[in-house]
Amino acid sequence: MLSAEPFIIALDGPAASGKGTLARKLAEHYNLELLDTGALYRAVGWQVLQSRGDPENEEDALNATNWLNDIDLSNPALRRESTGAAASKVAAIPAVRQALRDFQREFAANPPEGKNGTILDGRDIGTVICPGAPYKIFITADVETRAKRRFLEEFGEDGSDQEYEEILAELQARDERDMTRSNSPLKKADDALLIDTTNSSIEAVFEAAVTFISSKE
Ligand code: DC
């Protein structure tokens, strides 16, 4: 952390891979300001659904970006898998990505007073938003494991098999859309550390990330 370049961690990976948990732990450990960039796309998707628009329609989605500042990013409705699906649809529209790009770059480059730097988690942080970030991590897990995590988060122990199957199908559809869109697809940057969390504890994942960051300092 003595180097002159800004301390930025770019953390990417698919839905429910454990990005959010790792991002919060790293932000605390290194005293970094955190931006969950998925929440921005979720807020846009949610706003489109609220106004009964179509998340795949460019005009509806772009209109929703005007309301971004008014949306409570901690609204639990943003966390639903149905909102995630709408987020993934608006995120495939280049004009929406463009509308959110400058905000994310500004955030990355300007940590508030008292913070050592920033950490952003998303899909294209290491490849498009902050390609010059000194620390890049790509975190993943197999899709059944991710579906189970999301299912427990959303339904607790009371969920049915059918609800699990629905979440699994939605995650598979989201992976497909996020990885194959032509604009800024989900992709590991060449110089990112790859962490598979399928069989790893949060602590082990955190340790791997810290070891990687120390090796580059
Ligand atoms: O990380 P998340 O599940 O909250 O993201 C929701 C959706 O938003 C995701 O399926 C794709 C989109 N997204 C994106 O395209 N680029 C990002 N940097 C973050 C999220």
Side-chain angles (χ1 to χ4, degrees):
M1 241 182 290
L2 294 172
S3 76
E5 62 183 338
F7 191 102
I8 300 174
I9 303 179
L11 176 58
D12 290 303
S17 52
K19 286 193 308 290
T21 307
L22 178 60
R24 283 189 293 276
K25 282 179 84 73
L26 289 173
E28 196 189 341
H29 184 75
Y30 290 107
N31 184 31
L32 307 174
E33 190 74 354
L34 166 64
L35 180 64
D36 165 9
T37 65
L40 304 176
Y41 291 94
R42 283 172 182 271
V44 175
W46 173 244
Q47 182 59 36
V48 174
L49 295 179
Q50 288 296 91
S51 53
R52 301 188 184 282
D54 171 5
E56 287 179 296
N57 178 282
E58 176 169 324
E59 201 182 332
D60 290 354
L62 211 48
N63 269 337
T65 62
N66 295 328
W67 296 93
L68 256 187
N69 290 333
D70 302 328
I71 298 172
D72 172 13
L73 292 182
S74 63
N75 178 351
L78 294 191
R79 304 314 317 162
R80 288 182 201 143
E81 193 43 46
S82 52
T83 311
S88 165
K89 288 175 186 165
V90 300
I93 300 172
V96 171
R97 305 200 71 82
Q98 165 95 27
L100 301 183
R101 197 184 57 198
D102 292 349
F103 174 82
Q104 296 173 77
R105 286 189 177 152
E106 286 265 312
F107 179 98
N110 297 292
E113 207 47 54
K115 294 282 180 179
N116 293 328
T118 51
I119 174 166
L120 287 80
D121 76 86
R123 299 289 187 292
D124 62 341
I125 309 303
T127 50
V128 175
I129 301 295
C130 302
Y135 312 111
K136 297 182 191 173
I137 300 171
F138 190 92
I139 177 168
T140 190
D142 69 39
V143 71
E144 287 81 11
T145 303
R146 291 187 281 122
K148 200 154 173 216
R149 288 178 191 158
R150 191 44 60 82
F151 169 71
L152 286 173
E153 242 172 58
E154 203 160 325
F155 298 101
E157 298 295 333
D158 304 328
S160 64
D161 287 353
Q162 192 194 334
E163 282 159 337
Y164 167 77
E165 291 300 331
E166 278 169 15
I167 297 235
L168 177 62
E170 277 182 331
L171 276 191
Q172 283 166 329
R174 202 135 74 87
D175 280 357
E176 172 73 14
R177 207 181 297 113
D178 293 347
M179 288 185 214
T180 59
R181 67 178 177 228
S182 52
N183 190 306
S184 312
L186 168 65
K187 198 164 115 237
K188 177 186 166 304
D190 291 340
D191 51 348
L193 170 73
L194 175 66
I195 306 179
D196 188 322
T197 70
T198 306
N199 297 307
S200 299
S201 66
I202 291 165
E203 286 68 31
V205 170
F206 174 69
E207 283 310 318
V210 169
T211 304
F212 171 71
I213 290 167
S214 308
S215 75
K216 302 205 110 198
E217 273 178 333

